[in-house]
Amino acid sequence: MTKTASIAFSMLLAALALPAQAQATACTQWIDTLPADLNAPGHYCLRDSVDTGLVGGAFNINASGVTLDCRGRGVRHVDPGNDAIAISAGGFGPVTDVTVRNCKLLDFATGIVFSPGSERVEIVNNDIVGARYDGITLWGSHSRIVGNRILAGRAATGLDYARNITVTAFQPGVPSTGNVIANNLMSGASGNSRIWGIRVDYSNNAVVHGNEIIGLAPNAGGFAVAIQIDGSDAQVSNNVMTGGDGAQFGISGSPALCTRNIALGMANSGFASCARSVNDIERP
């Protein structure tokens, strides 16, 4: 390994380290009914699994310094006709130092969304199944999306895209920076035209590491991109991308460094789009 590559790898390991806020702490407030508005700092825990048909957000995080821990419990949406969001953060202004973890979110239109201005967010170890729009969307900087599973996403009728994980601007017109997307599993997304596994949009210095993106399935005439990079100085490493039905692309955009990624059964691995490609592997 060259000195430059060694320095880059050391920076990657530092970026992947979870801060203290992601570690286990005691529950201080219990959630028994939905919707739940989290309006003050604290460690909120979901007591039991629940079904809901609500419109809007099931959990609304309106304060900084919040940890939402579902403790492995599930929230299932039972009305496929409405556009409910499972977890919505920052609807009344930016939030910082927020953690969402251990939630199982089934059949919502959108799984988790953080609004513009978010910082130091942790989205860790959640399952999002059957989202019709977006699995996870983050507007913000210096945040981590780690160890989540986003399964069987499908574009809503009349919508021409489906996205599993999107990291976008800090706020409209201002790029975000310093976000990490690591060790997530995305499987089975389908849609009418465009499918994204991970989309880094107007976001600089992103680290995309150790994700598995499998079985993206655009409908006839559409296309799927496993990892889309629209931002400067991104590092994309150790990801596994496998093709499904339809036109499949591995990496799109211009990452600064791609290393040790694997593309299997893709129409185009995209490794040629990387400013540097080191030990990436492509197989039919």
Side-chain angles (χ1 to χ4, degrees), residues 17 123 203 239:
I123 303 173
S203 183
N239 302 283

Side-chain angles (χ1 to χ4, degrees), residues 87-110:
I87 299 172
S88 177
F92 294 100
V95 295
T96 60
D97 301 301
V98 170
T99 296
V100 174
R101 65 175 180 239
N102 303 327
C103 296
K104 298 183 183 300
L105 310 171
L106 285 70
D107 296 328
F108 283 83
T110 298

Side-chain angles (χ1 to χ4, degrees), residues 82-226:
N82 83 47
D83 296 335
I85 299 171
I87 299 172
S88 177
F92 294 100
V95 295
T96 60
D97 301 301
V98 170
T99 296
V100 174
R101 65 175 180 239
N102 303 327
C103 296
K104 298 183 183 300
L105 310 171
L106 285 70
D107 296 328
F108 283 83
T110 298
I112 300 171
V113 58
F114 275 77
S115 295
S118 303
E119 285 194 276
R120 298 184 300 279
V121 168
E122 300 287 340
I123 303 173
V124 181
N125 195 35
N126 302 284
D127 294 344
I128 301 171
V129 181
R132 299 194 304 282
Y133 296 105
D134 295 275
I136 297 172
T137 297
L138 170 72
W139 291 74
S141 292
H142 307 297
S143 297
R144 287 154 176 69
I145 301 173
V146 178
N148 303 281
R149 292 154 297 277
I150 304 176
L151 310 174
R154 60 196 188 282
T157 301
L159 192 70
D160 67 350
Y161 69 85
R163 300 178 294 202
N164 285 324
I165 294 177
T166 301
V167 171
T168 188
F170 181 70
Q171 57 190 27
V174 179
S176 61
T177 188
N179 293 306
V180 174
I181 306 169
N183 302 328
N184 303 283
L185 169 65
M186 286 143 278
S187 177
S190 60
N192 296 330
S193 179
R194 294 166 291 172
I195 308 296
W196 286 280
I198 295 172
R199 185 171 185 183
V200 177
D201 179 30
Y202 208 46
S203 183
N204 300 329
N205 305 106
V207 171
V208 181
H209 174 83
N211 302 282
E212 294 183 64
I213 306 163
I214 60 179
L216 306 182
N219 293 345
F223 68 92
V225 178

Side-chain angles (χ1 to χ4, degrees), residues 47-69:
R47 194 181 302 274
D48 292 305
S49 295
V50 61
D51 289 352
T52 182
L54 60 80
V55 177
F59 303 90
N60 301 297
I61 301 173
N62 302 318
S64 297
V66 164
T67 292
L68 171 60
D69 188 346

Side-chain angles (χ1 to χ4, degrees), residues 236 258-262 271 274 276-282:
V236 181
C258 299
T259 181
R260 299 185 300 278
N261 300 288
I262 300 175
F271 296 147
C274 305
R276 294 182 61 219
S277 176
V278 181
N279 296 325
D280 294 306
I281 298 173
E282 179 180 2

